[in-house]
Amino acid sequence: MLRKTLIAVAIVVGAATPLLAANDVNPQADAKAFKEYFTKRFPKVPLKDFVNGPYSMDEGLRKQWEAIDQFPPYDFAVDKGKQMFATPFKNGKTFADCFPNKGIGIRQNYPYFDTKSGQVISLEYAVNQCLKDNGEKPFDYTKDDMAAVTAYMAFTSRGKPFDIKIPNDPRALAAYQRGKEYFYTRRGQLNFSCASCHVQSPGHRIRTEVLAPAYGITAALPIYRSAWNGMGTTTRRFRTCNSQVRGMPLPGGDEDYRDVEYFLSYVSNGLPISGPGTRP
Amino acid sequence: MKLKKSHFALMVIAGAAAGVILGVNPVSAAASKGEELAFSRAKGNCLTCHEIKGGDAPGNVAPPLSDMKARFPDRKELIAIISDETKRNPQTVMPPFKRNLLLNDQEIEAIVDFLYTR
């Protein structure tokens, strides 16, 4: 069992290594390899279920979740986000003025590569950009207001498939590649890469937590997490994962976080937005 | 000579007393230090990934650690695995405890003593 897993991982890593070394970055091939690896390893998990993280991996957890989700604990955040969307800034503008389609049903297009500024823009980054452009104070990246606005935006996008594009711009490919390298690089005193947990060990437990598969892993964010006793954003989840391996969490909006989210969301193209989520 | 003898006697008494108080066999003093290190979240935290008899809330990323004497008669092998398992298996998720200064030599020895009781 363990052997088999190791071999499968070696194949994924092996397939990725030449791409890491050479200049011919091939995101399409990566996305195909990702899908193949996870669907072969978990043949019983319906494709669209990977976006439910730990629940897609564990029957017992799933039952608990279905019971809790009768009264979803993220509801208050969605309501608050909706309210915030309806409340004008001091200059009279609103969040809706900053986004395509007034910010409704667009979560699946984030992060995107902005050819003007030459960088990856995550949804959280875009929210703070909107605030700054309108003379407002940016939000803390990890919870509260940021979680509420992004929860509302995710909620209005539920079921829409990830549609992340890599424009024909060498800087976009480079950003994707940096994100991929960040994902596979070991770090922290415990020497883990993101892949150690979410590619090598999904479905296994570290202590009592069931690890989510990397395929579709950004679809449910932001999440209400019992362990946090509240909502957390993508930034908060990444920072927690970094801390768990006694690594250095990055500041909100950091380019590495935006790039790794770009990579993870691109290789999950086609999977539906499931956020906001509820987690143990 | 005289001093040594009394010293020895004292140790036996202290050992026996500790054994009575803690409810363990005095022979396993090193092993019980090892158990503490292996279970401590700040030190070995082996239960994150391994089931070990006597430990609460184990993960299942890795094989259960049981029947250790029979399976790993060579003490050096266990020390090597704990020190840096990436040498044996570059893909492993097991942290390199010695290389990353999570555990020192004495602590690893104590954990091995403990593992030999499982």
Side-chain angles (χ1 to χ4, degrees):
Chain A
M1 175 65 200
L2 222 125
R3 279 264 165 73
K4 246 196 215 142
T5 312
L6 286 178
I7 289 166
V9 168
I11 289 169
V12 166
V13 174
T17 314
L19 302 173
L20 280 175
N23 288 331
D24 57 331
V25 184
N26 192 342
Q28 269 175 326
D30 291 352
K32 193 160 167 265
F34 231 70
K35 181 176 178 180
E36 265 170 30
Y37 171 77
F38 285 100
T39 51
K40 278 212 183 100
R41 181 158 169 187
F42 302 104
K44 289 201 202 107
V45 174
L47 196 65
K48 289 186 174 167
D49 202 32
F50 282 105
V51 297
N52 295 316
Y55 306 123
S56 67
M57 305 274 106
D58 189 287
E59 199 46 45
L61 264 188
R62 185 179 195 94
K63 292 234 164 73
Q64 289 174 32
W65 171 47
E66 280 163 1
I68 294 170
D69 231 41
Q70 301 292 312
F71 302 97
Y74 51 72
D75 266 357
F76 78 93
V78 173
D79 290 345
K80 182 175 168 193
K82 188 173 181 183
Q83 197 84 56
M84 289 165 79
F85 250 73
T87 312
F89 304 135
K90 286 192 284 295
N91 66 3
K93 298 241 163 118
T94 64
F95 278 114
D97 295 315
C98 293
F99 293 97
N101 200 40
K102 299 190 160 61
I104 304 305
I106 58 163
R107 162 72 180 100
Q108 70 282 1
N109 303 321
Y110 288 77
Y112 73 95
F113 187 82
D114 176 33
T115 46
K116 263 197 221 115
S117 63
Q119 54 173 341
V120 169
I121 311 289
S122 65
L123 188 62
E124 290 162 13
Y125 192 83
V127 165
N128 269 347
Q129 204 57 50
C130 175
L131 289 167
K132 282 191 240 167
D133 289 348
N134 286 289
E136 299 281 326
K137 230 178 100 211
F139 294 153
D140 176 305
Y141 266 92
T142 58
K143 48 191 183 182
D144 304 329
D145 289 344
M146 182 62 86
V149 167
T150 55
Y152 174 60
M153 294 178 84
F155 190 75
T156 64
S157 316
R158 275 202 175 164
K160 296 191 190 267
F162 261 124
D163 186 17
I164 307 301
K165 302 212 163 64
I166 300 179
N168 190 8
D169 179 328
R171 294 172 304 172
L173 267 192
Y176 169 89
Q177 193 64 6
R178 278 196 305 272
K180 177 174 165 182
E181 275 165 30
Y182 186 85
F183 184 78
Y184 286 104
T185 302
R186 288 185 187 248
R187 64 175 59 78
Q189 197 185 15
L190 299 186
N191 199 42
F192 281 84
S193 68
C194 312
S196 306
C197 285
H198 298 295
V199 175
Q200 274 184 264
S201 320
H204 287 286
R205 273 184 284 109
I206 61 168
R207 291 281 179 172
T208 55
E209 289 195 280
V210 176
L211 290 165
Y215 189 43
I217 200 167
T218 55
L221 299 162
I223 49 179
Y224 178 94
R225 190 163 176 257
S226 309
W228 289 332
N229 204 5
M231 297 290 299
T233 59
T234 303
T235 299
R236 187 174 191 183
R237 187 60 258 186
F238 287 2
R239 285 174 60 87
T240 306
C241 289
N242 281 151
S243 302
Q244 267 179 338
V245 301
R246 299 189 203 158
M248 184 81 86
L250 301 175
D254 192 279
E255 196 163 24
D256 278 342
Y257 277 177
R258 285 182 276 142
D259 290 346
V260 75
E261 192 187 346
Y262 189 47
F263 161 74
L264 283 169
S265 305
Y266 178 85
V267 295
S268 303
N269 263 344
L271 292 182
I273 296 299
S274 57
T278 312
R279 297 290 183 264
Chain B
M1 187 65 203
K2 212 175 172 188
L3 219 130
K4 250 192 200 145
K5 234 191 218 154
S6 62
H7 205 107
F8 180 65
L10 219 103
M11 269 168 63
V12 171
I13 291 170
V20 169
I21 293 162
L22 300 172
V24 293
N25 185 328
V27 180
S28 69
S32 81
K33 177 72 191 155
E35 172 169 3
E36 201 183 305
L37 289 164
F39 289 175
S40 150
R41 281 180 192 259
K43 287 304 241 171
N45 204 6
C46 315
L47 292 166
T48 297
C49 301
H50 295 277
E51 186 184 319
I52 306 173
K53 211 170 151 222
D56 289 335
N60 66 358
V61 167
L65 300 180
S66 59
D67 212 8
M68 298 306 280
K69 241 187 190 133
R71 296 196 301 128
F72 295 93
D74 182 0
R75 190 179 175 93
K76 282 205 226 76
E77 191 184 345
L78 277 183
I79 291 172
I81 291 172
I82 301 170
S83 299
D84 188 353
E85 170 67 355
T86 67
K87 287 201 174 127
R88 222 174 51 145
N89 169 18
Q91 306 282 353
T92 191
V93 300
M94 180 159 156
F97 286 96
K98 180 163 180 214
R99 172 157 64 83
N100 280 14
L101 309 177
L102 291 152
L103 298 169
N104 64 29
D105 288 327
Q106 282 155 309
E107 291 169 332
I108 292 173
E109 294 284 350
I111 288 177
V112 170
D113 286 335
F114 162 63
L115 290 181
Y116 276 147
T117 68
R118 300 294 123 141

